[in-house]
Amino acid sequence: MDWEISPLAYIFSETNVEVETTALKEEITHSGKFKIIVDQTVDECLVSKYDILVIPGGDPEPLLEEETLISLIQEFDNKNKWIASICGASTLLGRSSVLRNRDYSTSIDISDFTTCFNPAYKSKADTTVCENLITAEGNAYVEFAVAVGKQLDLFKDREDELETVLFFKNQLRG
């Protein structure tokens, strides 16, 4: 779901992180029914240009056999670049074999995707950072955004990080 990365998109915009979008097609319609023209398709994406791959959640099933996407995820992992996935997107990490024996968080019922997940490594935490992977349950979108921000060193200090958390928590109550 695109809203699961909205707080992260805000953090990126406030810290002047350059963002480029990629998808399987040149134009996509996200869950809010907005049409998005992507910067490049997945097969055009050059991993060497990027520090992180962020994969929003949603229903992973239609993407599990998309070899260009699976290869992109594997290439990010092989180059030890950050990969962040939230909610159902962790299934794509499992399908790509990048979860291996790494702890992960997900909202997905892993029994529905037995070839993608090793249940022994499912974390009880809402958000998990393990090596170059950041994974989160869908309801932990603020924590996910902060975890990504921390790993990319986007906060000035701990106070800046806490202010960001409070900003989003207060927005949700408001």
Side-chain angles (χ1 to χ4, degrees):
M1 299 295 178
D2 48 349
W3 57 268
E4 293 169 335
I5 61 167
S6 291
L8 179 57
Y10 177 79
I11 290 171
F12 283 169
S13 71
E14 289 297 305
T15 55
N16 298 314
V17 170
E18 185 178 334
V19 174
E20 291 188 5
T21 56
T22 187
L24 295 168
K25 301 180 288 184
E26 292 178 358
E27 183 179 289
I28 59 170
T29 303
H30 74 64
S31 62
K33 305 295 184 218
F34 291 100
K35 290 187 188 288
I36 298 170
I37 297 173
V38 301
D39 295 308
Q40 64 203 338
T41 60
V42 168
D43 58 335
E44 297 169 326
C45 186
L46 298 174
V47 173
S48 61
K49 289 178 53 180
Y50 304 101
D51 297 322
I52 189 168
L53 173 65
V54 178
I55 311 171
D59 178 12
E61 243 175 310
L63 301 173
L64 291 175
E65 300 307 318
E66 293 290 345
E67 289 304 321
T68 55
L69 178 59
I70 300 306
S71 294
L72 180 68
I73 294 167
Q74 290 169 335
E75 188 176 351
F76 264 85
D77 187 52
N78 289 338
K79 294 190 177 186
N80 204 33
K81 296 213 175 207
W82 284 106
I83 303 170
S85 69
I86 188 166
C87 194
S90 58
T91 308
L92 298 169
L93 302 186
R95 169 64 180 84
S96 302
S97 300
V98 302
L99 286 181
R100 294 186 292 279
N101 296 331
R102 297 171 169 169
D103 293 335
Y104 64 90
S105 296
T106 186
S107 300
I108 293 292
D109 179 356
I110 63 173
S111 65
D112 292 340
F113 297 94
T114 55
T115 60
C116 296
F117 294 108
N118 182 340
Y121 293 94
K122 185 171 188 314
S123 174
K124 292 184 170 129
D126 291 342
T127 303
T128 302
V129 178
C130 186
E131 298 174 25
N132 63 317
L133 303 181
I134 304 165
T135 54
E137 293 187 4
N139 63 355
Y141 44 91
V142 173
E143 294 84 352
F144 175 73
V146 170
V148 171
K150 282 174 67 172
Q151 297 311 315
L152 296 180
D153 202 25
L154 299 180
F155 300 111
K156 291 179 241 163
D157 51 28
R158 177 80 172 134
E159 185 178 326
D160 184 31
E161 175 189 333
L162 293 173
E163 283 178 14
T164 302
V165 171
L166 289 174
F167 171 78
F168 283 112
K169 294 291 183 179
N170 290 332
Q171 292 297 323
L172 298 172
R173 286 188 212 129

